[in-house]
Amino acid sequence: MLLMDKPQDVVAPQPDAAPGAAAPVEMERIAPDTVGDVTAKNAVIRVRDANVHYGDKHALINVSLDVARNEVIALIGPSGCGKSTFLRCLNRMNDTIESARVTGDFRLDGEDMYARDTDVVMLRARVGMVFQKPNPFPKSIYENVAYGARIHGLAANRAELDDIVYGSLQRAGLIDEVKDRLDDPGTGLSGGQQQRLCIARTIAVNPEVILIDELSEKYAIAIVTHSMQQAARVSNRTAYFHLGRIIEVGPTDKIFTNPSHKLTEDYVTGRFG
């Protein structure tokens, strides 16, 4: 993103706070109209009071949410509700948009993601992103996956690089389909294969978090999806966005079977969206 108005540091929970609970001062920065608990135990990402403007458009409004280690959290909601905008905040993909202005507190393992001295390249290695439209490099299948490992110095020799490439393709569920044509261009794969190739490329650098816009283990994964079936099938927690705000957060089974907010119920039952 761009200009970060850095607020006061997040206050650590007091000794008598429940494990994973937000401190009282921190709770004051969480939008009071959000239903459910936006906090998470063992959070790898913690966001408080996030706001995003694109010029005069207020695209994300007072959003707070934790992403825990080893969880899959689905971000759902109708088109234009702010879920993809929020996702792009988490690895600063809006830095290249001149009109974007971001405020709030974004932490990765407690570190300020928008600090002036943050290495954005390293941040994006730690928080990988797979886009809605697959974007393989104009390179071979092998080189697509090897690229990140090379630039980050993760392999000392060709054998180690081979291990990273083959292992990443296997974890992405693609190795059996491409093992005999790794020198073919990645752009020649089918759409679904290209997306799996992009997932393999992302996990090759061992990220702590994977962001998937429209679509997984030792990663925390945040996915944006319009598919209720996909959200219900793959996620542990679900956050429902509406008009730039988080309306409700909770365990996925509760969100889909017994939501607390009328807007959430209307969306998951197909009354709008």
Side-chain angles (χ1 to χ4, degrees), residues 1 4 29 31 33-34 45-65 75-94 99-106 114 224 239-247:
M1 248 59 58
M4 203 45 211
R29 301 167 64 192
D33 51 352
T34 297
I45 284 181
R46 176 160 289 157
V47 177
R48 294 294 177 267
D49 197 26
N51 285 268
V52 178
H53 293 79
Y54 297 117
D56 294 332
K57 178 178 173 57
H58 198 172
L60 203 67
I61 306 168
N62 303 330
V63 167
S64 298
L65 188 65
L75 312 181
I76 65 172
S79 297
C81 67
K83 55 188 185 295
S84 292
T85 294
F86 176 75
L87 206 67
R88 290 194 298 269
C89 288
L90 302 183
N91 73 346
R92 296 182 55 170
M93 287 304 299
N94 279 343
S99 63
R101 181 168 59 91
V102 179
T103 61
D105 192 70
F106 298 81
Y114 284 84
V224 163
Y240 171 61
F241 281 69
H242 185 77
L243 297 179
R245 302 178 187 270
I246 291 184
I247 301 301

Side-chain angles (χ1 to χ4, degrees), residues 43-255:
V44 61
I45 284 181
R46 176 160 289 157
V47 177
R48 294 294 177 267
D49 197 26
N51 285 268
V52 178
H53 293 79
Y54 297 117
D56 294 332
K57 178 178 173 57
H58 198 172
L60 203 67
I61 306 168
N62 303 330
V63 167
S64 298
L65 188 65
D66 291 352
V67 178
R69 297 183 192 281
N70 305 317
E71 85 163 349
V72 179
I73 181 166
L75 312 181
I76 65 172
S79 297
C81 67
K83 55 188 185 295
S84 292
T85 294
F86 176 75
L87 206 67
R88 290 194 298 269
C89 288
L90 302 183
N91 73 346
R92 296 182 55 170
M93 287 304 299
N94 279 343
D95 279 12
T96 57
I97 300 177
E98 278 190 28
S99 63
R101 181 168 59 91
V102 179
T103 61
D105 192 70
F106 298 81
R107 301 275 165 169
L108 175 64
D109 288 328
E111 300 171 9
D112 184 354
M113 298 162 69
Y114 284 84
R116 292 184 181 275
D117 60 351
T118 296
D119 184 333
V120 178
V121 173
M122 287 306 301
L123 172 66
R124 290 175 183 157
R126 296 172 66 189
V127 183
M129 187 162 186
V130 178
F131 295 92
Q132 181 175 2
K133 183 178 180 180
N135 60 338
F137 299 148
K139 298 174 178 287
S140 70
I141 295 168
Y142 183 98
E143 290 299 329
N144 261 272
V145 183
Y147 181 81
R150 274 209 181 94
I151 66 172
H152 291 293
L154 300 182
N157 52 53
R158 178 62 185 235
E160 289 186 5
L161 190 60
D162 285 349
D163 286 344
I164 291 172
V165 171
Y166 278 81
S168 300
L169 288 168
Q170 185 171 37
R171 282 181 286 169
L174 187 58
I175 187 63
D176 289 341
E177 299 168 47
V178 301
K179 61 185 178 183
D180 297 322
R181 50 189 180 120
L182 293 177
D183 292 330
D184 288 1
T187 52
L189 297 174
S190 70
Q193 288 174 327
Q194 286 186 20
Q195 185 166 57
R196 281 180 284 156
L197 178 63
C198 292
I199 292 172
R201 185 179 68 196
T202 299
I203 64 180
V205 295
N206 293 318
E208 296 175 52
V209 180
I210 298 176
L211 314 173
I212 303 180
D213 195 350
E214 293 289 353
L215 185 47
S216 294
E217 359 196 350
K218 67 176 186 176
Y219 310 105
I221 301 178
I223 65 169
V224 163
T225 182
H226 284 92
S227 168
M228 298 299 97
Q229 294 83 2
Q230 184 181 64
R233 184 178 69 252
V234 305
S235 64
N236 312 115
R237 285 168 74 219
T238 295
Y240 171 61
F241 281 69
H242 185 77
L243 297 179
R245 302 178 187 270
I246 291 184
I247 301 301
E248 185 170 355
V249 183
T252 295
D253 57 352
K254 182 182 185 303
I255 293 293

